[in-house]
Amino acid sequence: VYSIVLLIGFALPIIFVLLKDYLNDKILDRKDIEAVTKYSIIGHVIHSDKATNLVVVDYPKSAISESFRTIRTNLQYYTHSKNNQVILITSSIVGEGKTFITTNLASILALNGLKTVILGFDLRKPKIFPDFGLVNEKGLSSFLVNKCELEEIIQHTGLQNLDLITAGPVPPNPSELISQAKTDELFAKLKEKYDYIILDTPPIGIVTDPLLLIQYADVTLYIVRQNYTPKKVFASIVKDIEKN
């Protein structure tokens, strides 16, 4: 009886853990990513329990800030340390941390003396501007419909070397706005002024906007959130990106 109870005591937790892992449909660690894609992992950021999203600025000595410095260093291998680089940030679904990564990556680049601008290309759900205490009265949508000049939509964040262009008023046709020639003009002008242009885009698994913008990007960063990003959704999107 003791032997049977002891065996059950060992077996039940092992079965529970294995079953829980088998039934889990979220990405938990690096091997889940490496199993479905050839693309390398450029870095990882631990969960932030800070009250602010601008952890790099407000907590420069924290572990999170160090992780962004590592990503900044690794990016130099992909951009070959050239200036006028465009970095696009996207993910599979909503809530994976794109805006958090965008603001802090841009901040760490600016703190390194690189003139940086963030473009809020999530035209459907404008974000970012509250973190810097700015407004969204006019922005990218205003420029793309010829209501504003570029200089009118650039806002200074208060952090040296870092500017922000918000999404602007929500348009009825975001994809059509992005696909027009005015977008070419936007990037051509910004490359004359900035070392890094960071694009905060919607989830690539939900809308086509990031696919339209990838042609302008020198590097595309795909954000995956631990125990949140669905494995099947991630695998499906990444395979399509590799194929195309």
Side-chain angles (χ1 to χ4, degrees):
V1 171
Y2 283 135
S3 299
I4 293 172
V5 171
L6 187 63
L7 183 62
I8 293 174
F10 278 112
L12 285 180
I14 293 173
I15 293 172
F16 174 77
V17 171
L18 292 175
L19 191 61
K20 183 180 178 182
D21 185 59
Y22 177 76
L23 296 175
N24 178 62
D25 66 339
K26 303 293 192 298
I27 290 177
L28 294 179
D29 51 37
R30 294 176 65 101
K31 73 175 188 296
D32 292 331
I33 299 172
E34 293 167 345
V36 297
T37 180
K38 64 183 180 182
Y39 292 123
S40 57
I41 298 174
I42 198 172
H44 70 277
V45 179
I46 63 173
H47 178 72
S48 174
D49 57 0
K50 310 297 184 185
T52 176
N53 282 332
L54 300 175
V55 291
V56 165
V57 178
D58 296 333
Y59 301 92
K61 296 183 179 180
S62 65
I64 297 178
S65 296
E66 284 302 319
S67 65
F68 278 104
R69 290 188 182 95
T70 300
I71 294 172
R72 180 185 66 194
T73 301
N74 291 339
L75 270 175
Q76 294 176 352
Y77 293 104
Y78 292 89
T79 61
H80 305 291
S81 299
K82 295 179 181 178
N83 291 336
N84 313 120
Q85 296 292 308
V86 179
I87 300 174
L88 184 147
I89 297 176
T90 190
S91 68
S92 305
I93 58 176
V94 176
E96 291 173 292
K98 292 183 301 300
T99 301
F100 178 78
I101 298 295
T102 300
T103 53
N104 286 285
L105 178 59
S107 298
I108 206 71
L109 289 167
L111 289 170
N112 201 38
L114 299 165
K115 196 161 178 57
T116 306
V117 62
I118 301 172
L119 273 59
F121 256 112
D122 193 343
L123 302 183
R124 292 170 172 80
K125 292 183 178 180
K127 299 176 183 176
I128 294 183
F129 60 94
D131 292 332
F132 294 101
L134 300 175
V135 295
N136 187 43
E137 294 177 357
K138 51 189 176 183
L140 288 169
S141 61
S142 310
F143 175 81
L144 294 175
V145 296
N146 295 307
K147 285 188 175 180
C148 292
E149 296 298 323
L150 181 59
E151 290 72 21
E152 298 178 66
I153 63 174
I154 297 176
Q155 300 187 62
H156 302 292
T157 63
L159 181 64
Q160 188 175 6
N161 297 317
L162 181 60
D163 292 337
L164 170 66
I165 300 178
T166 64
V170 178
N173 54 343
S175 297
E176 286 73 17
L177 278 183
I178 293 171
S179 60
Q180 63 182 357
K182 195 73 175 175
T183 306
D184 298 338
E185 178 187 337
L186 172 70
F187 284 101
K189 289 184 175 180
L190 290 176
K191 284 189 174 185
E192 296 175 359
K193 296 168 61 71
Y194 296 98
D195 298 315
Y196 280 92
I197 302 167
I198 314 295
L199 313 184
D200 180 41
T201 70
I204 200 169
I206 298 177
V207 295
T208 60
D209 298 8
L211 290 172
L212 298 172
L213 291 166
I214 279 179
Q215 61 178 310
Y216 300 103
D218 298 290
V219 176
T220 298
L221 296 184
Y222 196 113
I223 310 304
V224 176
R225 184 172 178 179
Q226 184 186 38
N227 202 28
Y228 188 91
T229 303
K231 289 180 182 177
K232 291 182 179 178
V233 174
F234 170 73
S236 173
I237 297 170
V238 169
K239 290 301 180 185
D240 285 341
I241 293 173
E242 290 179 350
K243 188 193 309 179
N244 298 318

